[in-house]
Amino acid sequence: MPRVIVGPADFDPGTALATLEADAGAIASFIGIVRGTADNRPLAALTLEHYPGMTEQALARIADTAMTRWRLLDCLIIHRTGRLEPGARIVLAAAASAHRGDAIEAMTFLIDWLKTDAPFWKHETFRDGTARWVAPRETDQHARDRWIEP
Amino acid sequence: MPRVIVGPADFDPGTALATLEADAGAIASFIGIVRGTADNRPLAALTLEHYPGMTEQALARIADTAMTRWRLLDCLIIHRTGRLEPGARIVLAAAASAHRGDAIEAMTFLIDWLKTDAPFWKHETFRDGTARWVAPRETDQHARDRWIEP
Amino acid sequence: MKILYFAWLRERIGHAEATIDPPAGVTTIAELTEYLASLSPAHQRAFANRSAIKTALDQVFAPPETPLGDAQELAYFPPFTGG
Amino acid sequence: MKILYFAWLRERIGHAEATIDPPAGVTTIAELTEYLASLSPAHQRAFANRSAIKTALDQVFAPPETPLGDAQELAYFPPFTGG
């Protein structure tokens, strides 16, 4: 059963991954962390806005798609919301399979799709007091689109 | 600095990954676990034999190659040895980068290469008392060879 | 009908949520967007670049030509930047 | 010179390690392998399928034609199956 967790609470990667381990053989995971700078400017915080209700649905749809397309035993998405300081964990995407190729591909799909297909918006506050909304990146769209089936 | 740990001791994935998190942005990891069956036959244990001395060198070389080929801040390989029962962790390979594509590719490279290029040998003991050495798989060799630079 | 604004749309318009009755003749998302853009200078500025704005009807992505039907909730937002 | 055997080679030969003085005329890995295979029926069986056996000289992969030189350690093993 794929699982999706959205909210302000931090998570422990070890505990989260342990929920996937039973007889899996292969667990691939990705953790996103708030960096200390953006465009070489020191960052004070990253704030994640989201669309409650739609977010959970969108992530569940992405996880279900992964379960259908790869031979997975389980997958897990955790995405934090609210104000996060540099060094804080933002997101975890993980997939468990008997086959390492499936686990790694599915995990890559999960992180590529949740960047473009789940209603989150990143807002950067810099240490110099300025702030901006993060612009969508074309490279993220390309990373997403490579998973579209012909 | 890439790090390599070889030995019988278990590891905690959360603790291990935490050592990679500083300002990384992106951490990709793979965990291998002993499955409960092999070819549909219940497994009692998997025993990992290795070549002390050469193993650490081989893994360090693989990790150094990853650091050279991708934009990484750090990488980590932990590989257990000795007798492991179903459900036990065998291996962790992880890469940290400011770029998620680099982290994921490097992690995939690490796990692909350590399967074919580090001196470990797997021995399976089945619940029915039989035992065998695991045969090398052609698919593992292909997974390895796709990373050879032209 | 509940209207939701997210990210810089919310900031430019000045509130996150509004309840409106679509005026007569407004039957699609595009028509409702026209109407909302006419409400104030802030709305007009927020909706200036329509191609940068996405919409979801009852939490499902929907293009501008989508009929409003009996939907309860229409959300306006820029492209997603999560992960 | 220290000779190491791993995995099923170790099992078939019956020990993990041996110390030998290569006889006169033995200057390469291939020549030493011929000599080792002649030591006992167990050695002969273990070395029967040479193409399935890899070698490392002083912990570095080395093909059969490699000269032994001043190497201290020669290891025989099947292909790796870790991970």
Side-chain angles (χ1 to χ4, degrees):
Chain A
M1 266 303 288
R3 282 159 300 139
V4 158
I5 299 167
V6 179
D10 192 13
F11 57 88
D12 174 62
T15 309
L17 294 178
T19 67
L20 288 168
E21 291 188 9
D23 206 39
I27 296 169
S29 71
F30 179 90
I31 298 170
I33 309 230
V34 181
R35 296 186 59 203
T37 58
D39 294 334
N40 297 314
R41 292 167 59 206
L43 205 63
L46 190 69
T47 304
L48 269 295
E49 181 168 332
H50 79 124
Y51 184 170
M54 185 174 172
T55 314
E56 291 80 357
Q57 278 183 56
L59 293 179
R61 202 174 311 122
I62 293 166
D64 286 339
T65 303
M67 295 295 289
T68 308
R69 286 185 58 179
W70 287 275
R71 293 168 295 178
L72 301 185
L73 294 162
D74 200 1
C75 69
L76 171 63
I77 299 172
I78 304 177
H79 203 303
R80 295 179 68 189
T81 58
R83 189 176 192 277
L84 302 173
E85 296 188 356
R89 287 176 279 265
I90 308 168
V91 63
L92 178 143
S97 173
H99 312 274
R100 87 175 177 284
D102 286 59
I104 293 173
E105 274 199 16
M107 171 276 284
T108 309
F109 166 84
L110 290 176
I111 190 73
D112 283 346
W113 274 45
L114 73 79
K115 279 186 178 273
T116 54
D117 284 49
F120 291 101
W121 300 275
K122 281 199 188 106
H123 183 261
E124 291 170 333
T125 309
F126 291 93
R127 293 250 290 276
D128 64 12
T130 61
R132 68 176 184 193
W133 291 95
V134 171
R137 296 189 311 170
E138 233 177 283
T139 51
D140 284 338
Q141 194 60 44
H142 292 152
R144 178 216 188 266
D145 290 345
R146 70 189 155 133
W147 298 107
I148 295 173
E149 288 173 307
Chain B
M1 266 301 291
R3 281 158 301 138
V4 158
I5 299 168
V6 179
D10 193 13
F11 57 89
D12 175 61
T15 308
L17 294 178
T19 66
L20 288 168
E21 290 188 9
D23 205 38
I27 296 170
S29 71
F30 179 90
I31 298 170
I33 312 239
V34 182
R35 297 186 58 204
T37 58
D39 293 335
N40 297 313
R41 292 166 60 204
L43 205 63
L46 191 67
T47 304
L48 269 295
E49 183 169 330
H50 78 123
Y51 184 170
M54 185 174 172
T55 314
E56 291 78 357
Q57 278 182 56
L59 293 179
R61 202 175 312 121
I62 293 166
D64 286 338
T65 304
M67 295 295 290
T68 308
R69 286 185 57 179
W70 288 276
R71 293 168 294 178
L72 300 185
L73 294 162
D74 200 1
C75 69
L76 171 63
I77 299 173
I78 304 177
H79 203 303
R80 295 179 70 190
T81 58
R83 188 177 192 277
L84 302 173
E85 296 187 356
R89 287 176 278 266
I90 309 168
V91 63
L92 179 144
S97 173
H99 312 274
R100 89 175 176 284
D102 286 60
I104 293 173
E105 275 200 14
M107 171 277 283
T108 310
F109 166 84
L110 290 176
I111 190 71
D112 283 345
W113 275 44
L114 73 79
K115 280 188 177 272
T116 55
D117 285 48
F120 292 101
W121 300 275
K122 280 199 188 109
H123 183 262
E124 291 171 333
T125 309
F126 292 94
R127 294 250 290 275
D128 63 12
T130 60
R132 67 176 183 194
W133 289 96
V134 172
R137 296 189 311 170
E138 234 179 284
T139 51
D140 284 338
Q141 195 60 43
H142 292 152
R144 178 218 188 264
D145 290 345
R146 69 188 156 134
W147 298 108
I148 295 173
E149 289 173 307
Chain C
M1 184 171 204
K2 194 157 105 182
I3 309 293
L4 300 175
Y5 303 110
F6 290 99
W8 53 256
L9 266 149
R10 173 180 53 70
E11 282 189 343
R12 288 187 197 174
I13 285 170
H15 52 254
E17 202 175 317
T19 302
I20 63 124
D21 284 319
V26 166
T27 61
T28 66
I29 291 177
E31 287 161 5
L32 189 58
T33 306
E34 285 301 320
Y35 168 70
L36 292 170
S38 73
L39 290 178
S40 79
H43 283 80
Q44 198 176 356
R45 274 194 301 277
F47 283 109
N49 180 8
R50 304 272 161 98
S51 69
I53 299 171
K54 311 286 178 189
T55 41
L57 201 59
D58 283 343
Q59 307 194 353
V60 176
F61 255 123
E65 63 274 17
T66 310
L68 298 174
D70 294 329
Q72 306 293 305
E73 187 173 300
L74 177 61
Y76 290 94
F77 44 76
F80 306 148
T81 56
Chain D
M1 185 172 203
K2 194 156 104 181
I3 309 294
L4 300 175
Y5 301 111
F6 290 99
W8 52 258
L9 265 149
R10 173 179 55 69
E11 283 188 342
R12 288 186 197 173
I13 285 170
H15 52 254
E17 202 175 318
T19 302
I20 62 125
D21 284 319
V26 165
T27 61
T28 66
I29 292 176
E31 287 161 6
L32 189 59
T33 305
E34 286 302 319
Y35 168 69
L36 292 170
S38 73
L39 291 178
S40 78
H43 283 80
Q44 198 177 354
R45 276 194 300 277
F47 282 110
N49 180 8
R50 305 272 161 98
S51 68
I53 299 171
K54 311 286 179 189
T55 42
L57 200 60
D58 282 344
Q59 307 195 353
V60 177
F61 254 123
E65 62 275 20
T66 310
L68 298 174
D70 294 329
Q72 305 293 305
E73 187 174 299
L74 175 63
Y76 289 93
F77 43 77
F80 306 148
T81 56

